[in-house]
Amino acid sequence: MIRLGGAVVALALIGAPVAGQQQPDPAANYDKTEVMIPARDGVKLHTIVYVPRGEHAPLPIIFKRTPYGIAGQAGTLEPESQMGALAADGYIFAFQDIRGRYGSEGQFVMQRPACTDEAVAAKSCIDEGTDTYDSIDWLVKNVPGNNGRVGMLGVSYDGWLTAMALIRPHPALRAASPQASPADMWLGDDFHHNGAFRLSYGFEYAAMMETSKQNERFDFDRYDTYQWYLALGPLANVNEKYLHGKIPTWNDYVAHPDYDQFWQRQTLIPALKSVTVPTLNVAGWWDQEDFYGPVRIYRHLEQLDKDNKNFLVVGPWRHGGWSGGPGQKLGDIDFGSATSKYYREKIQAPFFAYYLKDQGQLHQPEAITFQAGDNTWKEWDSWPPRAGVTARDVYLIPGGSLSWDKPGSGAAAQAGATGAHTSGVAYSTYVSDPAHPVPYRHRPIQATYDPRGSGWYTWLLEDQRFVDGRADVLTFQTQPLTEDVTIAGDIAAHLVVATSGTDSDWIVKLIDVYPESGMTDPKLNGFLRGRYRNGWEKPQPFIPNQPANVNIDLHTQDYTFKKGHRIMVQVQSSWFPIIDRNPQTFVPNIFKASAADYRAATQRVYATSHVTLPLVTPSTKAAPRS
C-alpha cells in the first residue's frame, strides 16, 4: 500500500476565499440546464449541463459522473480547481448523479459489477458502463452547440466510473482520464490491502454511502476514533451494536472475508479488453485511498495498447491532490513548484485539447512521474523502467542496522552475531498485543471525514517518531548516505518470519530520514494479512514458531534519498484502526471472531529478510520534463 498524511487545515485553506471577499460565480458564463436522462431500463439520471454563453464554434463535452452529488460541481470550473484549465480552453460541461444517488432514480449498488457482453446484448443487465453509454448518446444528440466528441474524467469513485465507461465505450467518447480509480477492492484499494481489512475507512465510507441516497456521516461519540474502535471489540459488534444489518457493503465484508467470486467479479480489470479510447491514468505517490488502482489499470491496459493511446502520470499528491490548489506542499514537505497546477495546465488540458478539439501537438510520453527528493518531473518510455535500473536488496539486521550486505558476509554478519539464532540465522523479536495496537497516525485519530478537520488526508507524510521506540515496532536504518540514491520502479519486501500464534499481520514501511533534525518522512507502506501469504482465496494458519516466507508488494515509486539522509525500514504487526486487529489466532472468518480469540503473540523477523529496491544508474536517469 502507498499513501500519505499531514495537516488538513493547511490543505483546506488552499485556494480558499479571503473572509468577506466576493468571489465570482464560476457558472456565471454558462447557460445551465437540468435534465433527467433516460437509461435503457427507463431509470432517469439527474444531470446538469453548462453551455458557454455567446457565439462559439461547436465544442466538446466534458462529462463527469459522481455518487457525491452534483449541486456543487460548478465549483470545479474555478481557475484553481479540477477543470479550471479546461474551462479556460472552452468546453461544454455535464455532471450527473449516478443511479440511486441524490437526484437520480434507481437503486445504488456499491461498485456495481460490470455486465458481460452477452448480458448487455441480451438487454438483461445494466452497469455504470451502460448508464454512461446511454447518457453520452443523449448528450451528443440533445445538447446544443456540441461537436460530437465527449471526454470523461474524475477522481476516486468518479475515476472508477470513468474507467467503467471504457469497457464498451460510446463512439463519441474520444478521451478519458480515470484518476485515482480503484481497480480491486480486496487486493489493494479502499476496503482491503492484500486481504487486510481497512477497518476505519471501510466502516465509515460504507455508512456514509448507504445510510441514505445522500452522504451521511457516522456520528462518533468521541473525537479520538482510536479509542472508539478499540472499545468496539470484535468486528461482530459492528452489526450487533450499530449497523444492525442495514448497510449492504458491511454485510458483504462479513460474508466474503476471502478473495472469492464476489470480489473477483467486482474488479473491472477482466472487463477491460481493448484500448480504443486515449486514456490518461493519474495517480498520487501518497494517495491514502487508491494508489493501487490507477497503476493496476494502466498496466493492464498497456498489455492491450496497440496504438500508443494509454498513458500514466504520477505526482507528489494525496488522494485527488492534483485536482485543486497549487500542489507545492503536502504536509510539511515542499516540492519546490506548483505540481498540481502544472499537471492541470501542462498535461491534462493539452491531452483533452488534442483529442477533443484537434488543437496543439501532444507531448505525452508513455509515463510522466514526479521524482520527489530531486523534485523534478521525469519522462519515461515505460513504467516501470525497463532499462537503467538494477534491483538491489537491503537487509534487516538485528540491532537496528539496514545493510546492503547479505547476512553471512561482511558487516552484516558481524552486526547479526549478537542476535539470537535459529538454524544459525539471527532474528529480531517483539510482542504484538491486539489489546494495545500500534496507531497508524498521531492520536487523536479523527474520523476520516471529520468536518472539524482530519489528519486522514496527509497521514502518510507524518513524522514516524511517534512509533519509533515502541517495543512492538522494529526499526532498521542505514548509515548516512554518502551519495544520492534514486529508486524508480517496483519495490517489494521479502520477510522471513515466525510467530507464536497461528495468524499474524505484517506491515513494512520504507522511510526517508532527514539529517540533523531527525525528521522521518515515510514514503512507502506495505501490508499483508499473513493468512494469505500462499494465496488469496484459501487462508492458511501459521505453524507456531516455524519460519515462513511473507512477500509484500510495496508498489512502485520514483524517489531520491538525498546524500546525508538515511534509509529506514520499520516492521510491525498492527496499524490501527486503519487496519482491523488480527486476533493472532487463526479463525475461519475474522469478522466473526470472539473476544477470546484475540491474543498476544511473539514475533520474529529473521536477518535474511530484505527489501528489494530498484536503484537507478546515474548515467541512465530519465530525461527531465520541461
Side-chain angles (χ1 to χ4, degrees):
M1 131 188 7
I2 298 188
R3 312 294 181 257
L4 172 45
V8 67
V9 175
L11 287 172
L13 293 176
I14 292 176
V18 177
Q21 180 177 331
Q22 187 72 23
Q23 295 298 309
D25 180 3
N29 296 322
Y30 296 84
D31 290 320
K32 175 183 174 182
T33 304
E34 289 195 57
V35 295
M36 297 294 288
I37 296 178
R40 63 192 62 187
D41 63 347
V43 167
K44 294 182 175 61
L45 305 175
H46 178 228
T47 309
I48 299 178
V49 180
Y50 293 93
V51 178
R53 291 176 176 168
E55 296 292 329
H56 55 74
L59 296 174
I61 300 171
I62 296 293
F63 185 33
K64 180 180 177 183
R65 308 183 69 238
T66 182
Y68 303 123
I70 61 176
Q73 288 295 319
T76 65
L77 306 180
E78 295 176 349
E80 294 300 313
S81 294
Q82 185 182 22
M83 300 184 185
L86 298 178
D89 282 351
Y91 289 87
I92 297 167
F93 294 92
F95 303 98
Q96 184 176 86
D97 291 325
I98 67 170
R99 179 180 293 253
R101 294 289 290 171
Y102 286 82
S104 287
E105 299 174 351
Q107 179 185 5
F108 171 70
V109 175
M110 185 84 75
Q111 298 274 289
R112 186 187 293 270
C115 299
T116 64
D117 292 341
E118 293 76 14
V120 171
K123 299 181 181 180
S124 62
C125 182
I126 54 92
D127 60 19
E128 299 298 349
T130 63
D131 282 354
T132 304
Y133 189 103
D134 297 343
S135 298
I136 290 176
D137 196 65
W138 190 95
L139 289 168
V140 295
K141 291 176 180 177
N142 292 277
V143 173
N146 81 83
N147 71 354
R149 300 185 192 183
V150 176
M152 289 189 69
L153 75 163
V155 174
S156 194
Y157 207 120
D158 304 354
W160 177 80
L161 293 165
T162 302
M164 286 290 290
L166 299 174
I167 295 174
R168 285 173 295 272
H170 191 283
L173 183 61
R174 300 295 186 87
S177 182
Q179 303 175 3
S181 168
D184 193 306
M185 288 297 208
W186 198 92
L187 288 179
D189 288 308
D190 300 82
F191 299 153
H192 303 79
H193 282 190
N194 294 329
F197 178 55
R198 302 229 306 167
L199 170 60
S200 56
Y201 191 80
F203 171 82
E204 294 167 44
Y205 188 81
M208 179 184 76
M209 296 293 286
E210 296 179 338
T211 298
S212 73
K213 286 187 69 173
Q214 302 183 6
N215 290 356
E216 298 284 345
R217 185 174 60 87
F218 183 83
D219 188 16
F220 289 96
D221 62 4
R222 64 198 74 186
Y223 186 62
D224 187 357
T225 60
Y226 179 97
Q227 296 176 327
W228 188 91
Y229 282 107
L230 195 58
L232 171 68
L235 296 181
N237 288 334
V238 169
N239 261 334
E240 181 177 333
K241 295 182 177 181
Y242 297 103
L243 301 185
H244 310 296
K246 296 179 180 179
I247 302 300
T249 292
W250 184 270
N251 297 336
D252 290 335
Y253 300 151
V254 177
H256 305 280
D258 307 322
Y259 195 52
D260 61 11
Q261 286 296 317
F262 174 84
W263 296 109
Q264 293 174 32
R265 182 168 177 258
Q266 195 179 73
T267 177
L268 57 71
I269 294 298
L272 294 169
K273 299 177 181 178
S274 63
V275 181
T276 59
V277 178
T279 303
L280 184 68
N281 302 277
V282 183
W285 287 129
W286 302 292
D287 185 326
Q288 77 280 8
E289 296 175 26
D290 297 297
F291 180 82
Y292 173 90
V295 176
R296 179 73 179 90
I297 293 170
Y298 162 76
R299 290 184 173 181
H300 175 74
L301 291 178
E302 193 61 17
Q303 299 174 36
L304 309 172
D305 187 18
K306 300 177 181 179
D307 301 317
N308 194 32
K309 294 180 178 179
N310 180 51
F311 309 104
L312 177 68
V313 178
V314 193
W317 305 307
R318 64 174 176 88
H319 187 65
W322 54 91
S323 61
Q328 180 158 332
K329 294 188 67 177
L330 190 56
D332 294 328
I333 305 300
D334 192 322
F335 299 111
S337 64
T339 64
S340 300
K341 180 179 174 66
Y342 178 89
Y343 162 75
R344 293 191 302 269
E345 295 181 355
K346 305 299 183 183
I347 301 176
Q348 178 176 274
F351 172 80
F352 282 107
Y354 181 81
Y355 286 110
L356 300 182
K357 305 175 82 171
D358 298 324
Q359 290 182 356
Q361 293 183 343
L362 188 65
H363 179 45
Q364 187 67 49
E366 182 66 31
I368 301 172
T369 64
F370 188 87
Q371 190 174 94
D374 273 347
N375 292 343
T376 54
W377 288 100
K378 301 290 186 178
E379 297 184 356
W380 307 86
D381 57 12
S382 66
W383 191 268
R386 286 191 289 261
V389 175
T390 302
R392 188 171 179 188
D393 299 334
V394 58
Y395 291 88
L396 283 53
I397 306 301
S401 175
L402 192 63
S403 175
W404 301 105
D405 297 317
K406 186 175 182 178
S409 63
Q414 185 175 358
T418 59
H421 288 72
T422 295
S423 302
V425 179
Y427 60 81
S428 305
T429 187
Y430 62 96
V431 175
S432 172
D433 186 354
H436 303 283
V438 180
Y440 80 99
R441 58 178 163 105
H442 290 282
R443 295 179 62 187
I445 297 175
Q446 308 90 347
T448 301
Y449 300 122
D450 195 310
R452 297 164 292 185
S454 174
W456 168 253
Y457 299 94
T458 52
W459 63 266
L460 280 171
L461 208 65
E462 283 191 349
D463 191 313
Q464 293 298 286
R465 284 177 295 183
F466 77 101
V467 296
D468 190 30
R470 278 187 61 127
D472 51 0
V473 177
L474 297 178
T475 298
F476 309 87
Q477 64 179 336
T478 65
Q479 294 297 313
L481 300 174
T482 58
E483 60 184 3
D484 290 355
V485 174
T486 298
I487 57 176
D490 296 344
I491 303 170
H494 306 280
L495 302 184
V496 181
V497 298
T499 176
S500 64
T502 52
D503 200 357
S504 183
D505 290 346
W506 303 96
I507 301 103
V508 176
K509 297 183 286 187
L510 179 64
I511 298 167
D512 184 354
V513 183
Y514 285 58
E516 300 301 328
S517 67
M519 177 180 178
T520 60
D521 170 21
K523 288 300 165 194
L524 290 169
N525 301 280
F527 195 101
L528 179 77
R529 179 138 287 171
R531 59 173 48 208
Y532 299 112
R533 66 195 181 279
N534 294 322
W536 305 125
E537 299 176 41
K538 295 181 180 180
Q540 296 178 352
F542 285 88
I543 299 174
N545 301 314
Q546 179 173 309
N549 294 316
V550 174
N551 298 314
I552 305 175
D553 180 6
L554 272 68
H555 301 306
T556 191
Q557 180 63 269
D558 186 1
Y559 188 82
T560 295
F561 296 89
K562 301 298 287 184
K563 178 181 178 180
H565 291 217
R566 297 172 185 254
I567 301 174
M568 176 184 287
V569 171
Q570 289 181 337
V571 179
Q572 58 202 63
S573 291
S574 57
W575 220 19
F576 190 75
I578 185 60
I579 301 296
D580 68 311
R581 297 174 302 147
N582 191 313
Q584 301 183 157
T585 301
F586 186 86
V587 293
N589 186 340
I590 291 177
F591 288 91
K592 299 180 180 180
S594 69
D597 294 321
Y598 289 79
R599 302 174 186 174
T602 299
Q603 315 287 66
R604 296 178 182 178
V605 178
Y606 290 88
T608 47
S609 300
H610 58 276
V611 176
T612 301
L613 300 175
L615 301 188
V616 176
T617 305
S619 61
T620 57
K621 287 186 177 181
R625 180 177 173 86
S626 60

